[in-house]
Amino acid sequence: MIGMKKGLFITFEGPDGSGKTTVSKAVTEQLQKEGYAVQYSREPGGSSIAEQIRSIILDVNNTDMDARTEALLYAASRRQHLVDKVLPALEQGITVICDRFVDSSLAYQGCGRQLGMEDVMDINRFAIEGHMPDKTIFLDVDAQVGLDRIHANRTSLDRLDQESIDFHERVYNGYKAVIEKYADRMIIIDANKKPEEVIASAYAAVKGLLDA
Ligand code: TMP
């Protein structure tokens, strides 16, 4: 359709245990109930190829995985999910709420794995071809609070959850650098609060973007 308005591309980011998935799903459902054209997605997001790539990354048996291999696989999975799920929705005017995107790689691979944010951005530039999020909701939670939540809520931990507190602190510092670098894109929400409060703040922020 000529002149059809593209959907907004909104990402949710935050350290493990920030409640990102619960919050982004709740916000999506609430907006859908109100009649907004919104779709929730997360990498690999049911894209069969992206799914297969992701299962290699998270396999607890792959303890020997090289950090650059991991970064490339995340970028590859991101690319496929973008092409299969995100871009078609945006083209149809649907807003996409995506649970983690490029900023996760900058924080986890760039800083957590110490590959450097610039090098990680370079491979992601190739993968996303300019499709940066319009806005990013960052759920800010202290690293230790986040880890405590994970240990309280989960019965099994994936390969990345099992990383040391040092790793998670580097990730948190990585996110701080991302927030500074992309300040115009970021909406920061205090996620140390109760889930209902975090959901309410995130909902208000996203609704504000859609109504603007
Ligand atoms: P999740 O917590 O959203 O389920 O994500 C699973 C793990 O994958 C989490 O520890 C963060 C990690 N991750 C990266 O390290 N780099 C990335 O680019 C993405 C998307 C996730």
Side-chain angles (χ1 to χ4, degrees):
M1 251 185 288
I2 295 164
M4 183 158 150
K5 213 165 150 250
K6 275 200 179 179
L8 278 180
F9 184 22
I10 300 170
T11 59
F12 273 66
E13 293 282 354
D16 294 273
S18 61
K20 224 175 14 50
T21 302
T22 310
V23 174
S24 54
K25 279 186 177 163
V27 168
T28 306
E29 279 166 23
Q30 185 59 38
L31 291 166
Q32 284 171 341
K33 267 190 211 152
E34 292 168 22
Y36 288 93
V38 183
Q39 174 185 300
Y40 169 86
S41 199
R42 74 181 301 208
E43 299 167 346
S47 156
S48 163
I49 295 168
E51 207 79 67
Q52 292 171 63
I53 298 167
R54 177 74 170 233
S55 70
I56 300 171
I57 307 172
L58 294 181
D59 189 334
V60 285
N61 296 313
N62 289 341
T63 46
D64 292 340
M65 189 177 294
D66 173 73
R68 283 173 186 254
T69 306
E70 181 185 276
L72 288 162
L73 289 174
Y74 271 119
S77 174
R78 174 160 307 129
R79 169 72 190 174
Q80 193 67 36
H81 171 254
L82 181 76
V83 170
D84 286 347
K85 302 278 165 172
V86 179
L87 295 180
L90 296 178
E91 283 300 328
Q92 290 174 55
I94 299 167
T95 285
V96 176
I97 292 186
C98 192
D99 181 353
R100 292 197 186 281
F101 195 62
V102 61
D103 299 325
S104 285
S105 280
L106 298 179
Y108 284 81
Q109 281 64 54
C111 294
R113 301 281 186 227
Q114 298 175 296
L115 292 177
M117 276 179 32
E118 265 317 306
D119 284 354
V120 173
M121 192 60 205
D122 284 343
I123 59 167
N124 276 277
R125 254 187 219 110
F126 177 76
I128 70 179
E129 279 189 300
H131 296 287
M132 286 295 277
D134 295 305
K135 284 286 175 190
T136 298
I137 310 284
F138 179 69
L139 299 189
D140 195 0
V141 72
D142 300 338
Q144 192 58 57
V145 175
L147 280 180
D148 289 348
R149 281 189 190 159
I150 290 171
H151 288 110
N153 295 343
R154 290 197 195 167
T155 47
S156 73
L157 301 178
D158 71 29
R159 200 170 57 82
L160 277 94
D161 292 333
Q162 291 175 2
E163 289 292 339
S164 66
I165 183 78
D166 287 3
F167 174 82
H168 289 285
E169 266 164 14
R170 286 198 299 273
V171 168
Y172 186 74
N173 291 332
Y175 269 129
K176 289 280 145 183
V178 167
I179 286 165
E180 265 183 42
K181 186 167 168 137
Y182 299 103
D184 294 350
R185 174 162 61 83
M186 297 289 163
I187 299 173
I188 297 153
I189 288 176
D190 180 1
N192 293 304
K193 295 187 179 159
K194 280 187 280 179
E196 312 86 75
E197 292 177 66
V198 182
I199 290 168
S201 306
Y203 164 80
V206 176
K207 193 174 156 70
L209 295 172
L210 292 176
D211 292 341

